[in-house]
């Protein structure tokens, strides 16, 4: 479904959002106060404009309120990020995603109506740290404080060459295997007789403790 997006703030974060949305064929209006940043996206975004997101009249004239989603990708200038969030929410944007520099900034953004608050640097830092500590966990998604979906690389001979039925992850770890990836081939909802091989990547869902316990067995 084609939707329309506006991205305000075209630093590294905002510009990469614009690039992905545009490459997916979506309508993207790219806005920044800095002309050079705007020029970088002229050939990528549907429209790229030099404007101050804090200026309510300008935002109104761009009909920001009619956009399905607005991303506020202003980090360092916290005051501007807050004011732009206020302006776009006041103009009626239904779905606003704002980037936060720190926890206090995040709390303010939520309080003034941002629908989603993201902390790209904190989140990426956490991911890198987790990966350094647990190199077998290739990817994870915390579904809540207790439940995690993780992609784990099979490196322990204890698992290699055995079927899911034999391994019985559910009974031994309290984990459900939702996919097995072998090279480029992904088996979704694998059957009991599917066999796990060396360096396969299995996607499991269960308690974070259980994921950690399985990961420990790979060391
Ligand atoms: P990143 O870490 O993603 O590079 P920055 O905080 O460095 O993020 O970049 C934010 C961008 O937002 C900059 O290009 C800056 O010019 C732009 N910006 C800052 N204030 C405003 C504003 N009021 N309206 C529009 N763009 C803004």
């Amino acid at each position: 479904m084609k939707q329309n997006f506006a991205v305000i703030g075209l630093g590294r974060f905002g510009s990469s959002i614009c690039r992905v949305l545009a490459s997916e064929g979506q309508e993207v209006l790219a806005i920044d106060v800095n002309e050079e940043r705007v020029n970088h996206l002229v050939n990528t975004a549907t429209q790229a404009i030099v404007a101050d997101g804090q200026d309510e009249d300008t935002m109104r004239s761009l009909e920001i309120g009619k956009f399905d989603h607005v991303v506020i990708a202003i980090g360092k200038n916290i005051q501007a990020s807050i004011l732009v969030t206020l302006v776009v929410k006041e103009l009626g944007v239904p779905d606003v995603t704002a980037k936060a520099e720190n926890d206090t900034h995040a709390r303010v953004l939520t309080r003034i109506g941002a629908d989603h608050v993201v902390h790209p640097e904190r989140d990426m830092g956490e991911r890198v740290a987790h990966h350094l500590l647990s190199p077998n966990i290739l990817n994870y998604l915390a579904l809540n404080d207790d439940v995690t979906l993780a992609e784990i690389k099979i490196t322990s001979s204890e698992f290699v060459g055995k079927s899911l039925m034999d391994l019985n992850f559910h009974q031994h770890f309290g984990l459900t295997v939702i996919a097995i990836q072998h090279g480029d081939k992904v088996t979704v909802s694998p059957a009991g007789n599917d066999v796990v091989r060396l360096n396969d990547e299995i996607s499991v869902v269960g308690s974070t403790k259980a994921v950690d316990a399985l990961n420990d067995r790979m060391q």
Side-chain angles (χ1 to χ4, degrees):
M1 190 177 68
K2 202 160 175 166
Q3 301 181 74
N4 57 8
F5 297 84
V7 177
I8 306 177
L10 307 174
R12 291 156 303 173
F13 183 68
S15 56
S16 62
I17 290 177
C18 286
R19 281 194 202 93
V20 173
L21 292 173
S23 72
E24 294 292 325
Q26 304 292 332
E27 298 264 336
V28 189
L29 168 64
I31 299 172
D32 201 294
V33 275
N34 179 324
E35 188 174 353
E36 210 177 308
R37 296 253 160 118
V38 172
N39 287 340
H40 271 119
L41 284 157
V42 164
N43 296 325
T44 309
T46 317
Q47 212 184 345
I49 292 177
V50 180
D52 184 343
Q54 298 170 100
D55 183 342
E56 192 167 337
D57 291 338
T58 310
M59 292 301 110
R60 190 174 281 120
S61 67
L62 290 171
E63 299 193 309
I64 279 290
K66 291 198 178 147
F67 280 75
D68 299 312
H69 305 273
V70 173
V71 179
I72 297 156
I74 302 170
K76 288 171 197 104
N77 187 344
I78 292 180
Q79 183 178 326
S81 142
I82 292 168
L83 286 175
V84 177
T85 305
L86 270 176
V87 167
V88 301
K89 278 314 286 185
E90 249 165 50
L91 292 177
V93 177
D95 194 62
V96 173
T97 299
K99 161 180 148 159
E101 280 293 282
N102 55 51
D103 288 346
T104 315
H105 185 191
R107 249 183 288 138
V108 174
L109 291 170
T110 305
R111 200 55 82 74
I112 62 174
D115 300 278
H116 314 278
V117 175
V118 291
H119 302 64
E121 280 165 355
R122 184 197 67 184
D123 293 352
M124 189 45 81
E126 286 177 7
R127 291 190 97 75
V128 170
H130 279 295
H131 188 63
L132 288 170
L133 292 170
S134 313
N136 279 76
I137 298 188
L138 305 171
N139 240 318
Y140 74 93
L141 177 69
L143 300 179
N144 65 19
D145 285 347
D146 303 318
V147 181
T148 298
L149 193 160
E151 194 183 17
I152 297 184
K153 188 170 183 170
I154 299 289
T155 50
S156 163
S157 56
E158 183 189 344
F159 299 89
V160 172
K162 296 196 176 135
S163 70
L164 288 187
M165 203 165 14
D166 294 336
L167 292 167
N168 202 342
F169 284 99
H170 195 68
Q171 194 185 334
H172 294 132
F173 293 96
L175 292 170
T176 302
V177 180
I178 56 174
I180 302 178
Q181 179 161 5
H182 179 73
D184 286 340
K185 185 174 170 258
V186 181
T187 308
V188 180
S189 289
N193 59 0
D194 278 312
V195 172
V196 170
R197 284 167 283 183
L198 184 66
N199 294 331
D200 276 3
E201 294 160 20
I202 61 167
S203 299
V204 293
V205 65
S207 76
T208 306
K209 269 196 187 136
V211 169
D212 289 342
L214 176 62
N215 177 55
D216 287 345
R217 295 281 276 272
M218 296 300 159
Q219 315 307 316

